Amino acid sequence: MTEPVPTRRAAAAAQRALDGRHDVAAEPPPPPPGWRTGERALRLGTLAVVALAAALLTGRPWVLALAAAPLVLLALALPSGQRPDAVTAEVEVEPRRCFEGEQVAVRIAVAYDGETGRLDPGVTLGHGVRLDHLAVGPHRVDLVLTAQRWGRWTLGTVDVDVYDRGGLARRTVRAELGEIAVFPVPEHAGLTPIPVRLPQRFGEHAAVQRGEGVEVTGVHPYVRGERQRRIHWPATTRRGALQVHQFAAERTADTVVLLDVLADVVDPVTGASSLDETFRAAAGLVRAYLRTHDRVGVVSVGGVTRWLQPGSGQGYFYRIVESVLEVRKDRAYGTAGLSLLPPPALPEGALVYVITPLTDQRIFDVLHQVRGRANPMVVVEIPTGEPVLEPGDTEGELALRLWRADRDAMRFALMERGIAVVAHRPGETLDLALAPLLRTRIHGGTR
């Protein structure tokens, strides 16, 4: 049974994991092969050597008695059995996919063929995870980690020192923990605005065309073959002829979420990351549209353009999120280059949500591409916070006014082109930003 590691050893292992080594990208050097002298043997040997040297320098034989105690302890600590020839470590990580803030359990099973003493793990964590708990048993090491931010993260390595019975020698075996995929926590969203034109597929949105839906759009004269239970009796009485209910057709929508990952801007006041908020808002939109059985796709622009064709089903949510997790891998972040959007990524008539902080001018080239394909489009702006000014900084105040005017000009230019612009503020539900879009349907551009 696994017992909690003693407090002193737990503190030492946690300190090794947290003392500036969990944020380094370089892997620690490989451990030396085979058995080597342990800390206890080094301490006792050092005491014996110092006592012998003191006896020789001072010429006093009684000083040799000081070396007797360490030598006796060394003799008593010599192992009686055979040291293990083969030491192996197997790693189990559960789960490999999780959301931000969830815990990941790591179990390292150490196997050996001889007699050993204690196990002493040295933990080197990768990016994006935190060590919360450490326990050591005779044959295994258990860790509990917390995923702090979304992305693909390398968990790191654990070097397990296996000591012999007397603790005089040790051998190190390395356990590679591998990678985990951390999904962003979706923003709460329940509203699903739709464009004017919908594909000819059955769904849950009321279209402008007449059909066999449940939403009544008016009445019309009775035609032979229509269901009699749909007769609208008040209108029939007024007009003196049979009138029946007219219903709107129900269609599904194609939605594409386009992510601006050209830059990651950190709010100077709150410390919030625009890239984090972009992905959380996108996850909320994707989940909301998938719940209404719509087809949803994703495109991320910045560095390498990644995209996934629209699909449906709740399981498709994880495919969509995994397709863009490579944007953040062990804090590696590349934004060089901007390629054209592939035609299959934007189906004709699909509603495109562009989630962007509007900080990189290259995003306007992307918006121009989407507009040129006549897709209805909504720009969801992720606020980045205003620069912090020192008291009495008149030049800074003037620069801040110019910065605000420039951002207002960008929003005005987008709205002049018929593009809906809404602002999503971190901490607020996404429905507050999408609510104005429900007043009217979203129109597309012209080719």
Side-chain angles (χ1 to χ4, degrees):
M1 181 176 180
T2 301
E3 297 292 339
V5 69
T7 305
R8 188 172 298 176
R9 277 196 285 151
Q15 185 64 29
R16 285 196 298 270
L18 301 176
D19 190 14
R21 299 192 350 181
H22 65 297
D23 279 337
V24 295
E27 185 176 327
W35 290 90
R36 61 190 187 278
T37 307
E39 294 89 347
R40 178 181 295 181
L42 290 175
R43 288 195 296 266
L44 295 177
T46 301
L47 289 175
V49 171
V50 170
L52 292 173
L56 293 175
L57 292 175
T58 60
R60 299 176 180 178
W62 63 266
V63 181
L64 292 175
L66 298 178
L71 293 176
V72 170
L73 292 177
L74 279 173
L76 293 176
L78 290 175
S80 58
Q82 182 182 4
R83 291 172 178 167
D85 293 329
V87 181
T88 59
E90 295 184 1
V91 179
E92 295 182 7
V93 179
E94 184 65 31
R96 287 287 183 180
R97 300 191 305 174
C98 62
F99 285 90
E100 293 176 297
E102 292 185 347
Q103 290 186 332
V104 179
V106 179
R107 170 165 293 182
I108 304 173
V110 182
Y112 41 81
D113 56 359
E115 295 183 357
T116 64
R118 63 185 179 91
L119 304 180
D120 184 21
V123 184
T124 302
L125 294 183
H127 302 286
V129 292
R130 182 185 70 237
L131 176 63
D132 290 338
H133 179 71
L134 175 67
V136 180
H139 294 275
R140 69 178 189 227
V141 178
D142 294 326
L143 301 91
V144 177
L145 310 176
T146 297
Q148 295 180 295
R149 302 179 71 182
W150 66 264
R152 289 195 184 276
W153 302 109
T154 301
L155 291 179
T157 59
V158 177
D159 291 335
V160 183
D161 289 337
V162 182
Y163 287 84
D164 61 8
R165 278 290 184 182
L168 300 181
R170 60 174 175 165
R171 183 174 183 174
T172 303
V173 58
R174 169 162 295 183
E176 298 284 352
L177 304 185
E179 291 186 351
I180 60 171
V182 183
F183 298 153
V185 176
E187 294 284 356
H188 175 73
L191 302 180
T192 53
I194 58 175
V196 173
R197 297 180 181 179
L198 293 171
Q200 296 297 318
R201 293 191 303 270
F202 290 108
E204 299 185 9
H205 300 294
V208 295
Q209 297 87 359
R210 294 165 53 179
E212 298 294 324
V214 296
E215 182 175 327
V216 178
T217 59
V219 295
H220 65 274
Y222 174 79
V223 178
R224 183 182 296 273
E226 291 187 308
R227 301 176 183 177
Q228 295 182 359
R229 62 181 179 179
R230 291 189 174 182
I231 295 176
H232 189 268
W233 292 108
T236 298
T237 303
R238 290 195 306 269
R239 299 182 181 181
L242 286 177
Q243 303 291 319
V244 295
H245 287 284
Q246 178 177 303
F247 295 89
E250 291 187 342
R251 297 288 185 261
T252 186
D254 281 346
T255 306
V256 175
V257 180
L258 194 149
L259 308 177
D260 174 9
V261 297
L262 293 168
D264 186 9
V265 184
V266 178
D267 192 317
V269 178
T270 64
S273 164
S274 65
L275 196 59
D276 287 346
E277 298 301 329
T278 294
F279 271 68
R280 289 167 187 156
L285 276 174
V286 168
R287 177 165 287 183
Y289 276 92
L290 288 178
R291 284 174 178 170
T292 56
H293 307 289
D294 293 325
R295 289 165 25 106
V296 184
V298 66
V299 181
S300 64
V301 294
V304 179
T305 299
R306 300 172 176 86
W307 58 279
L308 192 64
Q309 282 186 309
S312 59
Q314 290 300 320
Y316 204 66
F317 170 78
Y318 297 99
R319 287 191 59 191
I320 290 176
V321 176
E322 283 189 337
S323 68
V324 293
L325 281 185
E326 294 294 338
V327 171
R328 176 185 285 162
K329 178 173 169 55
D330 290 342
R331 288 191 174 179
Y333 184 72
T335 60
L338 186 63
S339 57
L340 295 177
L341 299 178
L346 298 178
E348 183 178 356
L351 174 60
V352 180
Y353 283 95
V354 182
I355 306 180
T356 172
L358 292 178
T359 55
D360 196 309
Q361 294 293 329
R362 290 178 293 177
I363 192 61
F364 290 94
D365 297 334
V366 178
L367 297 179
H368 180 71
Q369 292 184 46
V370 178
R371 194 64 175 170
R373 299 183 186 185
N375 285 86
M377 181 169 42
V378 176
V379 174
V380 180
E381 181 186 359
I382 303 295
T384 56
E386 295 185 348
V388 179
L389 301 181
E390 297 291 337
D393 186 1
T394 56
E395 295 181 356
E397 293 177 357
L398 178 60
L400 180 59
R401 290 176 58 187
L402 293 175
W403 180 82
R404 290 172 179 170
D406 181 65
R407 296 190 65 83
D408 290 340
M410 287 191 296
R411 300 186 191 99
F412 179 78
L414 293 175
M415 291 185 289
E416 280 292 299
R417 298 176 184 177
I419 301 174
V421 181
V422 297
H424 168 58
R425 304 196 176 278
E428 296 181 354
T429 176
L430 197 58
D431 289 342
L432 291 177
L434 300 181
L437 302 179
L438 298 179
R439 300 174 184 173
T440 181
R441 297 201 173 181
I442 305 168
H443 294 266
T446 57
R447 292 184 181 273

